[in-house]
């Protein structure tokens, strides 16, 4: 999953970004409203974490402009806990909010819920054949036996099961798994796919040659 | 129970009671005076009539000794008699007690005549003596007795039951009218009192409904010219000012909490991250560094909030020392020199000795703040000019820079608390958006004013004007 973090406080941005990366997200960062809007329009992020008070373009203006074109889930961060601020935020098109200071665990849970809902999935545990993917604890079991996956492997699996029944192209995998400044080799996707297959068995994932991958047709 | 007793204490009730008492007194006094006056007039009229009849009869007796002509003419009766018994009667008897004449129209028993005369003397009652004539009441008869010719005594009397009745009916009319006037008056008074009190109730209700959460309610009074209307307008004006103050306070609190929450979230985020798993020593060090930066930010902010609160609470700082402002400027310049040198800024001073009665540490804070703003907002290689001079009504301190300037839309608001022209820029320097607000509070507490003129891209000029010190009192070492 790839998220955009728009936050102007350098220390806070650094902390949240580190947390998100450690949670298995690919994170793009923006330090002001203009930068954030540009990035949010040019990529299909799985979610955007948006601070409310931003230089150059405020969070609410960014959201308004974004909503003309995209429905990307947006979680806004605000240091104001007034009802008016929250209502304005939600009415403008934000999907959820957090009031600063917040616990990172809550940020993580809300973000997962947002991404899940955007894929039309209501619960944190998803079953595919003999696999159970727990997006909250980021663990997988195969026939009730835990399987150890690296962060990126899990993110790939998550992307595939969230798009269950839909074709996931190689470009999508690149866009959602790697950050903007990631300079990767083109066969990296193949490497991760084959690792997933060796750990979880190959029956849950079908390869459409030249197009991409699909889970559980 | 309490509402019952409070009802008796209510203004409307008390007005009603006093009004009722007053009304009753007026009506009773008026009715009593009217009643007694009327009955007195009536009795006088009867007496006059009887006396006139007596005189007429006496003169008739003198000129005409024939008993047949001794009749009192009817025309003397006022009002004219309606019944035969209202017609006056007369009686004449000799000194020795023998009756000479008795009128035919009506005559009380003759036996009473002489005895009742004595009886009346025993009980004076409403008996009048005038011009040798005795007037007496005998039961429901009014009689006039006087000497006649030839040693006779002449009595003229009349039944006055009708007059008593008239006076009694007047009394009844007065009581009836008085009661109805009293009732109508009370009712009218109640309506008037209610009308007078109604706006007060409205005001009370509106004032009750106004709370911290609902400051939009206002007193709705149609009458704007009356005393209460003016009171309502005054109160509405007060409510407006309170609402504005509340709003400003709420904004200030929201801003302050925003400013505090940001570094708090930094601390919380980095602490949570550091604790989530085992980190390297470098990572721990970085976390602590980040947290201490945030802590410092909180401390600075709290100090500034405290000094603002102090300035708000006590607008006139008690400390006033005659101070050379140019001396303070020199000191502040010295402290800012390293910062200016780092940006290769040239600082020009045009200082003249200028004394003012100030709190030196506060004015120093103002100068430091303005100077550091100037250094911060001026591009490397620019210049800053510090000038102090005496003007007619005080001393003037100006700090000009060749910096980025302030846009016209920002200019009126830069002295507002937490107002920041550029968030990112001021944050780098740890700016809180309170510096200029504090400076203004300080200068205004000194009875001076702070002004700014600026052109975007050309630079800004802040001018502080302070009232002149009357005379040099003391020179405080360290400040001069």
């Amino acid at each position: 999953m790839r998220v955009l973090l728009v936050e102007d406080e350098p220390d806070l941005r650094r902390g949240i970004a580190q947390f998100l990366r450690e949670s298995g997200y690919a994170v793009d960062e923006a330090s002001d409203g203009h930068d954030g809007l540009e990035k949010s329009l040019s990529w299909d992020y799985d979610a955007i974490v948006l601070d409310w008070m931003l230089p150059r373009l405020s969070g609410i203006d960014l959201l308004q402009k974004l909503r003309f074109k995209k429905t990307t889930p947006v979680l806004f961060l605000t240091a104001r806990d007034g009802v008016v601020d929250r209502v304005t935020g939600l009415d403008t098109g934000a999907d959820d909010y957090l009031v600063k200071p917040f616990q990172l665990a809550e940020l993580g849970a809300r973000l997962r819920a947002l991404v899940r809902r955007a894929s039309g999935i209501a619960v944190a545990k998803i079953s595919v054949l003999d696999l159970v993917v727990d997006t909250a604890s980021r663990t997988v079991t195969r026939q009730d036996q835990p399987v150890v996956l690296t962060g990126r492997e899990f993110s790939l699996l998550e992307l595939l099961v969230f798009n269950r029944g839909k074709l996931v192209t190689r470009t999508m995998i690149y866009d959602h798994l790697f950050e903007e400044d990631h300079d990767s080799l083109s066969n990296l996707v193949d490497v991760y796919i084959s690792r997933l297959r060796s750990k979880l068995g190959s029956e849950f994932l079908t390869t459409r040659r030249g197009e991409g991958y699909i889970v559980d047709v | 129970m309490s509402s019952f007793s409070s009802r008796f204490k209510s203004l409307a009730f008390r007005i009603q009671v006093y009004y009722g008492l007053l009304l009753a007194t007026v009506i009773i006094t008026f009715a009593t005076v009217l009643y007694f006056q009327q009955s007195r007039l009536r009795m006088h009229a009867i007496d006059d009539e009887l006396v006139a009849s007596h005189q007429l009869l006496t003169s008739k007796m003198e000129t005409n000794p024939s008993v047949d002509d001794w009749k009192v003419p009817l025309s003397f009766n006022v009002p004219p008699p309606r019944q035969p018994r209202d017609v006056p009667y007369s009686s004449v008897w000799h000194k020795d007690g023998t009756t000479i004449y008795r009128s035919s129209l009506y005559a009380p028993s003759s036996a009473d005549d002489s005895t009742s005369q004595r009886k009346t003397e025993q009980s004076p009652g409403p008996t009048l003596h005038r011009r040798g004539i005795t007037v007496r009441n005998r039961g429901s008869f009014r009689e006039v007795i006087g000497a006649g010719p030839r040693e006779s005594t002449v009595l003229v009397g009349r039944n006055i039951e009708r007059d008593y009745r008239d006076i009694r009916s007047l009394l009844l009319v007065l009581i009836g009218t008085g009661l109805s006037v009293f009732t109508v008056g009370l009712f009218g008074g109640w309506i008037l009192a209610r009308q007078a009190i109604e706006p007060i109730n409205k005001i009370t209700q509106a004032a009750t409904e106004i709370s911290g959460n609902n400051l939009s309610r206002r007193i709705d009074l149609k009458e704007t010219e009356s005393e209460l209307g003016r009171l309502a307008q005054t109160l509405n004006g007060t409510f407006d000012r309170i609402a504005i103050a509340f709003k400003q306070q709420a904004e200030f609190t929201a801003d302050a909490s925003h400013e505090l929450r940001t570094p708090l979230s930094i601390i919380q985020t980095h602490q949570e991250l550091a604790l989530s798993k085992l980190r390297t020593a470098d990572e721990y060090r970085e976390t602590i560094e980040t947290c201490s930066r945030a802590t410092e930010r909180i401390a600075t902010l709290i100090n500034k909030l405290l000094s603002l609160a102090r300035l708000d609470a006590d607008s006139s700082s008690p400390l006033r020392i005659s101070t050379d402002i140019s001396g303070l400027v020199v000191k502040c310049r010295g402290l800012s020199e390293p910062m200016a040198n780092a940006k290769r800024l040239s600082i020009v001073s045009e200082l003249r000795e200028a004394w003012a009665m100030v709190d030196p540490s506060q004015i120093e804070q103002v100068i430091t703040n303005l100077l550091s703003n100037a250094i911060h907002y001026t591009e490397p290689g620019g210049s800053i000019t510090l000038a102090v001079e005496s003007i007619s009504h005080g001393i003037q301190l100006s700090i000009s820079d060749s910096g980025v300037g302030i846009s016209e839309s920002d200019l009126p608001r830069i002295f507002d608390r937490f107002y920041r022209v550029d968030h990112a820029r001021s944050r780098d320097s740890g700016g809180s958006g309170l510096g200029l607000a504090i400076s203004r509070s300080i200068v205004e507490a000194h009875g001076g004013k702070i002004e700014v003129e600026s052109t975007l891209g050309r630079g800004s000029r802040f001018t502080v004007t302070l009232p002149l010190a009357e005379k040099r009192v003391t020179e405080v070492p360290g400040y001069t």
Side-chain angles (χ1 to χ4, degrees):
Chain A
M1 299 291 111
R2 183 166 165 194
V3 295
L4 173 65
L5 171 63
V6 192
E7 166 64 68
D8 61 327
E9 281 291 334
D11 282 340
L12 192 57
R13 188 174 63 239
R14 198 159 42 79
I16 296 173
Q18 191 185 345
F19 165 73
L20 292 175
R21 288 198 181 100
E22 287 177 7
S23 306
Y25 293 96
V27 184
D28 287 359
E29 296 173 37
S31 60
D32 66 58
H34 276 170
D35 194 18
L37 181 64
E38 217 167 276
K39 284 180 177 162
S40 63
L41 287 175
S42 53
W43 296 94
D44 280 324
Y45 289 102
D46 293 294
I48 297 173
V49 178
L50 180 63
D51 184 33
W52 221 223
M53 303 253 285
L54 291 169
R56 295 177 78 196
L57 184 71
S58 77
I60 196 137
D61 293 337
L62 190 161
L63 184 57
Q64 232 161 12
K65 290 192 161 74
L66 175 71
R67 281 289 175 254
F68 285 129
K69 302 212 168 122
K70 290 193 175 186
T71 57
T72 319
V74 169
L75 175 94
F76 78 84
L77 302 178
T78 173
R80 291 173 174 264
D81 56 357
V83 179
V84 180
D85 296 292
R86 285 176 283 165
V87 168
T88 314
L90 293 173
D91 281 348
T92 311
D95 299 86
D96 204 352
Y97 69 87
L98 262 181
V99 178
K100 291 179 189 175
F102 50 84
Q103 302 244 313
L104 287 173
E106 190 178 357
L107 174 69
R110 284 180 187 273
L111 208 52
R112 277 197 299 280
L114 274 191
V115 174
R116 228 169 36 225
R117 274 206 296 276
S119 326
I121 296 161
V123 291
K125 280 189 184 177
I126 306 155
S127 307
V128 182
L129 300 176
D130 56 351
L131 302 177
V132 178
V133 184
D134 187 340
T135 55
S137 61
R138 293 184 74 80
T139 53
V140 192
T141 55
R142 186 184 181 193
Q143 288 160 353
D144 295 330
Q145 294 300 308
V147 181
V148 180
L149 294 184
T150 67
R152 194 147 280 161
E153 285 164 5
F154 187 88
S155 296
L156 174 58
L157 177 64
E158 204 176 28
L159 177 67
L160 292 168
V161 297
F162 274 165
N163 291 287
R164 186 175 186 174
K166 281 180 264 178
L167 185 74
V168 179
T169 63
R170 291 166 63 86
T171 324
M172 270 172 78
I173 295 173
Y174 265 114
D175 282 355
H176 287 271
L177 249 51
F178 301 107
E179 290 166 12
E180 52 187 343
D181 45 6
H182 197 276
D183 204 11
S184 63
L185 298 163
S186 57
N187 68 343
L188 206 57
V189 172
D190 300 313
V191 174
Y192 281 112
I193 291 285
S194 62
R195 276 199 217 155
L196 271 189
R197 281 200 164 124
S198 68
K199 286 181 179 176
L200 303 170
S202 53
E203 53 269 31
F204 80 100
L205 191 65
T206 317
T207 308
R208 294 259 178 94
R209 203 154 294 280
E211 288 181 285
Y213 307 91
I214 191 163
V215 169
D216 184 32
V217 190
Chain B
M1 195 62 200
S2 66
S3 76
F4 188 71
S5 69
S6 75
R7 207 181 172 148
F8 281 100
K9 282 178 197 151
S10 88
L11 194 58
F13 181 80
R14 277 189 293 175
I15 289 178
Q16 185 72 2
V17 167
Y18 294 144
Y19 173 69
L21 286 175
L22 188 67
L23 192 63
T25 314
V26 168
I27 289 173
I28 289 169
T29 311
F30 181 73
T32 313
V33 167
L34 190 65
Y35 173 75
F36 283 109
Q37 183 68 14
Q38 278 299 306
S39 50
R40 213 166 65 91
L41 282 177
R42 196 57 170 282
M43 293 315 280
H44 277 181
I46 293 166
D47 291 351
D48 287 349
E49 171 206 334
L50 291 175
V51 167
S53 298
H54 182 273
Q55 278 172 352
L56 195 71
L57 190 56
T58 318
S59 62
K60 265 187 181 177
M61 282 165 72
E62 275 168 3
T63 53
N64 199 344
S66 166
V67 173
D68 299 333
D69 289 327
W70 297 355
K71 215 177 84 180
V72 179
L74 289 177
S75 59
F76 271 92
N77 293 315
V78 182
R82 261 177 292 168
Q83 284 176 21
R85 60 174 190 174
D86 295 338
V87 176
Y89 58 85
S90 53
S91 178
V92 182
W93 63 92
H94 197 259
K95 202 167 75 180
D96 56 13
T98 54
T99 304
I100 302 168
Y101 166 80
R102 182 160 290 169
S103 71
S104 60
L105 275 166
Y106 181 79
S109 73
S110 62
D112 301 338
D113 290 351
S114 49
T115 50
S116 61
Q117 195 175 359
R118 251 171 270 129
K119 210 191 279 172
T120 5
E121 277 159 12
Q122 283 161 2
S123 57
T127 306
L128 298 163
H129 298 271
R130 47 182 175 176
R131 281 171 279 159
I133 290 170
T134 306
V135 182
R136 69 172 187 192
N137 277 349
R138 190 160 57 88
S140 56
F141 299 96
R142 186 77 166 173
E143 291 175 342
V144 168
I145 301 160
R150 296 181 289 278
E151 297 190 312
S152 64
T153 304
V154 176
L155 176 149
V156 178
R158 184 154 83 74
N159 189 333
I160 53 166
E161 240 175 74
R162 184 182 160 210
D163 303 85
Y164 278 144
R165 248 200 337 271
D166 283 355
I167 284 168
R168 267 201 306 277
S169 73
L170 172 70
L171 182 65
L172 287 179
V173 166
L174 282 177
I175 290 173
T177 315
L179 277 179
S180 40
V181 166
F182 182 66
T183 315
V184 169
L186 271 191
F187 184 69
W190 181 62
I191 289 177
L192 283 178
R194 269 199 40 175
Q195 260 183 359
I197 298 294
E198 171 67 8
I200 298 180
N201 288 339
K202 259 189 172 173
I203 292 171
T204 310
Q205 200 195 346
T208 312
E209 280 173 25
I210 289 172
S211 65
N213 298 325
N214 177 20
L215 286 166
S216 56
R217 183 87 161 73
R218 289 292 177 273
I219 302 162
D220 178 27
L221 273 194
K222 310 258 172 335
E223 39 187 323
T224 49
E225 294 305 311
S226 75
E227 290 86 340
L228 286 175
R230 284 203 299 277
L231 171 66
Q233 279 179 327
T234 310
L235 284 176
N236 279 343
T238 309
F239 293 150
D240 285 345
R241 286 194 296 279
I242 292 175
I244 291 168
F246 252 85
K247 192 163 165 272
Q248 283 174 345
Q249 189 60 39
E251 275 170 13
F252 177 73
T253 312
D255 285 334
S257 79
H258 175 268
E259 292 303 315
L260 286 170
R261 278 165 201 269
T262 306
L264 261 184
S265 18
I266 292 173
I267 294 174
Q268 194 167 351
T269 303
H270 284 269
Q271 281 173 347
E272 251 187 278
L273 264 181
L275 293 172
S276 65
K277 61 181 186 193
L278 201 64
R279 307 277 176 182
T280 64
D282 278 351
E283 281 173 327
Y284 285 130
R285 167 175 288 280
E286 206 189 315
T287 299
I288 293 168
E289 278 169 0
T290 309
C291 287
S292 78
R293 269 201 301 278
T295 313
E296 198 180 324
R297 232 170 101 178
I298 294 174
T300 310
L301 181 66
I302 286 175
N303 280 336
K304 284 189 175 170
L305 286 174
L306 274 177
S307 55
L308 260 185
R310 263 189 229 116
L311 284 165
D312 281 349
D314 181 19
S315 60
S316 56
S317 165
L319 184 65
R320 289 288 178 272
I321 296 165
S322 183
T323 313
D324 178 15
I325 302 299
S326 55
L328 288 183
V329 172
V330 170
K331 184 185 171 194
C332 295
R333 182 191 162 162
L335 293 172
S336 305
E337 210 100 278
M339 244 177 17
N341 288 342
K343 284 185 86 172
R344 291 178 288 107
L345 301 175
S346 61
I347 301 184
V348 184
S349 299
E350 297 164 3
L351 306 176
R352 291 212 175 74
E353 198 177 308
W355 294 79
M357 293 293 287
V358 296
D359 178 341
S361 66
Q362 285 191 347
I363 295 302
E364 200 182 304
Q365 204 180 335
V366 173
I367 298 168
T368 308
N369 180 35
L370 293 177
L371 189 53
S372 70
N373 275 352
I375 293 172
H376 189 250
Y377 288 105
T378 304
E379 301 297 331
S383 72
I384 295 167
T385 308
L386 304 170
V388 175
E389 58 183 326
S390 295
I391 52 172
S392 59
H393 51 277
I395 74 114
Q396 198 175 55
L397 157 71
S398 68
I399 297 176
S400 326
D401 63 51
S402 62
V404 292
I406 304 157
S407 75
E408 243 172 80
S409 58
D410 287 323
L411 215 48
R413 297 197 56 195
I414 55 164
F415 291 108
D416 289 359
R417 289 167 188 195
F418 289 118
Y419 189 78
R420 272 194 286 232
V421 174
D422 187 337
H423 288 254
R425 189 188 287 271
S426 61
R427 192 162 289 152
D428 296 340
S429 66
S432 59
L434 288 174
L436 284 177
I438 291 173
S439 300
R440 185 176 62 172
S441 290
I442 291 173
V443 172
E444 283 175 358
H446 280 81
K449 59 182 182 194
I450 184 164
E451 288 161 311
V452 60
E453 40 198 309
S454 184
T455 316
L456 209 58
R458 289 261 193 84
S460 313
R461 177 187 154 96
F462 284 83
T463 312
V464 175
T465 315
L466 292 169
L468 209 61
E470 285 103 35
K471 54 182 176 153
R472 273 189 226 186
V473 185
T474 45
E475 291 187 9
V476 178
Y479 287 115
T480 52

